[in-house]
Amino acid sequence: MSVIRGHVVDPEGHPVAEAAVYVVSAPTNTPDIAQLTDDQGQFATSAPVPGSYTVGARSDKWGSAQAEVEVSSEGEATIEIRFNKMEDEIK
């Protein structure tokens, strides 16, 4: 089984702690479970089969964001999920 490791950051690249991270799409069924990032915005989740995964993150402050990653068999893939500025912050 492979692992997807990554970190979640705000628009300036600072870690986002306690963001909910979840698999949006995968080449096979995955549990519909979210996990929280640690104090450094890091997370790790299993990838049961090789293929293309879309991973999402949600934060009360930053909204939601997604990123895609390609996972090989018995490997480790890394991903960064970066939030965009929210509309209220752009004005």
Side-chain angles (χ1 to χ4, degrees), residues 14-29:
H14 301 111
V16 177
E18 297 186 10
V21 177
Y22 48 92
V23 175
V24 175
S25 66
T28 189
N29 291 334

Side-chain angles (χ1 to χ4, degrees), residues 15-18 36-42:
V16 177
E18 297 186 10
L36 297 178
T37 57
D38 66 13
D39 291 342
Q40 298 300 310
Q42 298 177 342

Side-chain angles (χ1 to χ4, degrees), residues 7-85:
H7 59 282
V8 178
V9 297
D10 68 16
E12 275 73 51
H14 301 111
V16 177
E18 297 186 10
V21 177
Y22 48 92
V23 175
V24 175
S25 66
T28 189
N29 291 334
T30 59
D32 189 16
I33 299 172
Q35 59 179 297
L36 297 178
T37 57
D38 66 13
D39 291 342
Q40 298 300 310
Q42 298 177 342
F43 68 90
T45 189
S46 63
V49 299
S52 182
Y53 287 75
T54 301
V55 181
R58 174 134 184 85
S59 162
D60 289 340
K61 180 175 182 180
W62 297 108
S64 60
Q66 296 181 356
E68 294 183 11
V69 65
E70 193 68 29
V71 176
S72 63
S73 62
E74 297 301 320
E76 184 175 295
T78 58
I79 188 172
E80 177 182 274
I81 302 173
R82 182 177 293 261
F83 289 114
N84 293 319
K85 291 190 179 201

